[in-house]
């Protein structure tokens, strides 16, 4: 008889161990290891694609044209790499209430119009609740069927009967399989149910979209293993209190990563925003100290963003530094460079940095704008409101080249900016854009002199 064993799994990072520990060796958090009983499976099951035992020559493998369906929203299609791929498994993550269910219902509507059969499995809401939302969005397709169920075995049977072309699972944290003993939402359950959905998707060529909730620290609740198993991972970003939402492809087997789509949440659902740069800058303050505009590449798209900074005098020994929307450590380095190389006495000032609009930018190309915003607030001198600033800052205070400078400058020119400050190494490339004055700076000192 198969004996059942128990193991301990960290509910935060998925670390597994055979004995209980107070502190997880994987992520260092306390009291997150929970016991899970694993009954030894009768046979090992593989997941994913059907394996063939004979190797094939790469040259002889016939390429297949993956079928793609449009979702009716150009922004979403772009994030997906040109539409929804048949038989793909997609994970959509985001804070509760950010609009995941709304977006999925809107996709259903469009695919329903194209004659596809859709099964919407909701483990969180009753069919009446989903219906209410559908009414609000004016969706009344014949081809959408709802199922309120959380047992993946029952869902599997239903899929066999209904033979849908597209399945939505809302959300993976509510689903469970009887083969695992732990509670829904635990690492084991999430992994097992996703594996089952993966077999359904790959085995029968059905596109599946899974909703995953996000924990406080921003990762999809439960395990990161989920991200390895699916083809595409999309995250909703943005401030829930503001009306716009950013959908970012973190992983995509069928297209570029980091591609973003910008949407606005209105009374009748999510609408795409066609000119996100204009939208991001729409209510920026003009001619006030502490703000600088730069351009970040989000995937293949240049996006103008505003960097804000507040530098205020403190009597404490330890000044506070805070960064929202960008890497904290990078900001600390920039502050150190400004102190050492540009002579700003920032050690007796608190510094707060914010990228407006709730967007997260991890690119070093925004360094120069961060530095200028800090210096502008420190000296109480505004930056000219039609100046764009580009450049990465090195530890010796040098301004380093950024990638795709021409595209960024073009976007600035399109948005009516008159001057662009770029690193020396980018000068030639940036000068190809007409209708905008290009000024170059070699180091932080020169940068501040030109900008302020
Ligand atoms: P929802 O899709 O339920 O979020 P999630 O599935 O990510 O938890 O979206 C919920 C929020 O969106 C809710 O606060 C109401 C708002 N909303 C609108 O503003 N307009 C709409 O047309 C809809 C359907 C929702
Ligand atoms: Mg929801």
């Amino acid at each position: 008889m198969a004996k059942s064993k128990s193991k301990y799994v960290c509910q935060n990072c998925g670390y597994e161990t055979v004995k209980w520990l107070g502190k997880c060796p994987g992520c260092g958090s306390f009291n997150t290891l929970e016991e899970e009983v694993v009954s030894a499976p009768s046979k090992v099951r593989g997941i994913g694609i059907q394996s063939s035992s004979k190797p094939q020559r790469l040259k002889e493998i016939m390429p297949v044209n993956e079928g793609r369906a449009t979702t009716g929203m150009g922004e979403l299609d772009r994030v997906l790499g040109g539409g929804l791929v048949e038989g793909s498994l997609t994970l959509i993550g985001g804070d509760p209430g950010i609009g995941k269910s709304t977006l999925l219902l809107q996709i259903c509507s469009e695919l329903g119009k194209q004659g596809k059969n859709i099964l919407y499995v909701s483990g969180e809401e009753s069919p009446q609740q989903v219906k209410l939302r559908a009414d609000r969005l004016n969706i009344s397709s014949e081809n959408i069927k709802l199922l309120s169920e959380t047992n993946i075995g029952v869902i599997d049977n239903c899929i066999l009967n209904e033979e849908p072309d597209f399945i939505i699972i809302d959300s993976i944290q509510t689903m469970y399989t009887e083969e695992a003993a732990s509670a829904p939402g635990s690492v084991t359950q999430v992994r097992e149910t996703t594996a089952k959905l993966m077999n359904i998707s790959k085995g029968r060529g059905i596109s599946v979209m899974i909703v995953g909730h996000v924990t406080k620290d921003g990762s999809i609740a439960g395990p990161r293993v989920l991200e390895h198993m699916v083809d595409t991972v999309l995250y909703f970003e943005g401030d829930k209190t503001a009306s716009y939402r950013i959908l970012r492809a973190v992983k995509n087997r069928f297209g570029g990563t980091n591609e973003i789509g910008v949407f606005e949440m209105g009374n009748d659902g999510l609408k795409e925003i066609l000119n996100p740069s204009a939208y991001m800058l729409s209510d920026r303050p003009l001619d006030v100290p502490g703000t600088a505009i730069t351009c970040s590449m989000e995937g293949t798209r240049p996006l103008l963003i505003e960097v804000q900074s507040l530098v205020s005098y403190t009597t404490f020994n330890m000044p506070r530094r805070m960064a929202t929307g960008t890497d904290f450590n990078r900001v600390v380095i920039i502050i150190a460079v400004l102190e050492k190389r540009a002579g700003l006495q920032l050690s007796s000032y608190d510094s707060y940095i914010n990228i407006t609009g709730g967007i997260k930018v991890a690119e070093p190309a925004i360094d120069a704008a961060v530095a200028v915003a800090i210096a502008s607030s420190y000296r109480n001198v505004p930056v000219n409101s039609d100046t764009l600033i580009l450049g990465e800052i090195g530890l010796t205070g040098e301004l380093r080249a950024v990638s795709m400078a021409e595209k960024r400058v073009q976007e600035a020119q399109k948005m009516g900016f008159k001057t662009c400050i770029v690193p020396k190494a980018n000068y030639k490339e940036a000068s190809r854009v007409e209708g905008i004055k290009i000024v170059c700076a070699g180091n932080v000192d020169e940068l501040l002199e030109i900008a302020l």
Side-chain angles (χ1 to χ4, degrees), residues 287-397:
D287 296 319
V288 290
T291 143
I293 308 296
T294 185
C295 182
S296 156
M297 291 301 295
E298 302 297 328
T300 53
R301 168 197 269 173
L303 181 71
L304 297 191
I305 52 168
E306 184 195 357
V307 182
Q308 287 195 343
S309 161
L310 177 69
V311 178
S312 68
Y313 183 73
T314 177
T315 47
F316 288 106
N317 284 339
M318 276 281 285
R320 278 192 79 170
R321 276 92 170 81
M322 224 160 88
T324 319
T326 186
D327 184 17
F328 174 76
N329 292 331
R330 252 208 108 82
V331 168
V332 174
I333 292 172
I334 294 169
I335 291 173
V337 171
L338 283 173
E339 277 218 80
K340 181 97 180 168
R341 313 280 170 202
L344 273 58
Q345 296 298 317
L346 290 164
S347 56
S348 43
Y349 288 83
D350 290 338
S351 306
Y352 306 95
I353 301 293
N354 179 32
I355 310 287
T356 59
I359 187 170
K360 294 191 182 72
V361 186
E363 250 202 326
I366 69 164
D367 284 359
V370 172
V372 170
I374 293 171
S376 158
S377 178
Y378 174 82
R379 292 188 188 159
N380 222 9
V381 180
V383 185
N384 208 335
S385 59
D386 52 18
T387 301
L388 185 97
I389 298 155
L390 293 176
E392 177 184 341
I393 290 177
L395 292 185
T396 62

Side-chain angles (χ1 to χ4, degrees), residues 420-442:
C420 186
I421 305 175
V422 298
K424 267 203 180 108
N426 281 130
Y427 183 74
K428 226 171 117 191
E429 193 188 343
S431 307
R432 278 186 234 144
V433 184
E434 281 169 22
I436 186 164
K437 190 175 149 209
I438 308 291
V439 189
C440 68

Side-chain angles (χ1 to χ4, degrees), residues 95-102 125 133 136-137 265-269:
D95 290 335
I98 200 152
K100 301 179 294 292
S101 306
T102 307
E125 293 164 308
R133 183 180 298 119
R136 193 170 170 189
L137 301 170
M265 178 69 93
N267 282 331
D268 45 0

Side-chain angles (χ1 to χ4, degrees), residues 207-225:
S207 311
V208 181
M209 276 201 168
I210 302 173
V211 171
H213 289 297
V214 157
T215 52
K216 268 175 260 133
D217 63 353
S219 61
I220 289 187
R224 294 214 71 129
V225 289

Side-chain angles (χ1 to χ4, degrees), residues 273-284 286 293-296 301-306 384-388 406-420 433-436:
I273 293 173
L274 297 170
N275 188 346
S277 285
Y279 201 85
M280 296 304 273
L281 300 187
S282 58
D283 44 28
R284 70 175 168 129
L286 299 176
I293 308 296
T294 185
C295 182
S296 156
R301 168 197 269 173
L303 181 71
L304 297 191
I305 52 168
E306 184 195 357
N384 208 335
S385 59
D386 52 18
T387 301
L388 185 97
E406 194 177 344
K407 248 186 163 168
R408 297 180 205 247
V409 178
Q410 237 160 21
E411 178 77 2
Q413 191 267 339
K414 212 173 76 193
M415 295 300 301
F417 281 75
K418 299 277 181 290
T419 316
C420 186
V433 184
E434 281 169 22
I436 186 164

